[in-house]
């Protein structure tokens, strides 16, 4: 009958060997995963920029088409003044209702 070795003793011998073998493997997997994530993030950012550029080009083309066809002038002639659209009673009320940007918006933040 073979000698009976308790599992505890096997664990004491195998654990350091497994640590030496698995640590570089796990480190490589994590390093590769982080690299892949960074590449995907970069590609997504570039794709977003390309879509933004494309949308700006299309908007410019639409405006240019409206100007050349004369629709831009007709739309401006029929448009109500800004103050009437906002429902202002006095000429300066439309500007008073617009939110104002404060110069000290980020002054209290500490990095």
């Amino acid at each position: 009958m073979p000698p009976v070795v308790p599992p505890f003793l096997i664990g004491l011998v195998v654990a350091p060997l497994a640590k030496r073998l698995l640590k570089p493997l796990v480190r490589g997997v994590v390093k590769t995963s982080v690299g892949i994530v960074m590449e995907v993030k970069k590609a997504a950012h570039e794709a977003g920029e390309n879509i933004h550029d494309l949308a700006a080009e299309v908007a410019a083309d639409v405006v240019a088409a409206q100007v050349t066809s004369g629709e831009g002038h007709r739309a401006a002639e029929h448009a109500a003044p800004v103050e009437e659209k906002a429902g202002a009673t006095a000429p300066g009320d439309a500007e008073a209702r617009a939110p104002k940007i404060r110069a000290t918006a980020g002054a209290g933040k500490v990095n």
Side-chain angles (χ1 to χ4, degrees), residues 10-22:
I10 295 172
L12 285 177
V13 173
V14 174
L17 293 174
K19 182 180 177 184
R20 284 187 207 153
L21 295 175
L22 292 177

Side-chain angles (χ1 to χ4, degrees), residues 29-108:
V29 168
V30 169
K31 189 175 181 179
T32 303
S33 299
V34 169
I36 290 172
V37 167
M38 296 299 284
E39 289 295 321
V40 167
K41 202 174 192 181
K42 182 180 174 183
H45 181 70
E46 289 176 1
E49 286 181 354
N50 289 339
I51 290 173
H52 180 71
D53 292 344
L54 182 63
E57 289 176 14
V58 169
D61 290 344
V62 168
V63 169
Q66 287 178 348
V67 168
T68 56
S69 67
E71 291 178 12
H73 294 290
R74 280 185 257 145
E77 290 172 0
H78 298 296
V82 174
E83 290 144 5
E84 291 179 11
K85 286 183 178 179
T89 56
D93 286 347
E95 291 80 22
R97 293 183 183 184
K100 296 183 180 173
I101 299 172
R102 296 182 182 167
T104 60

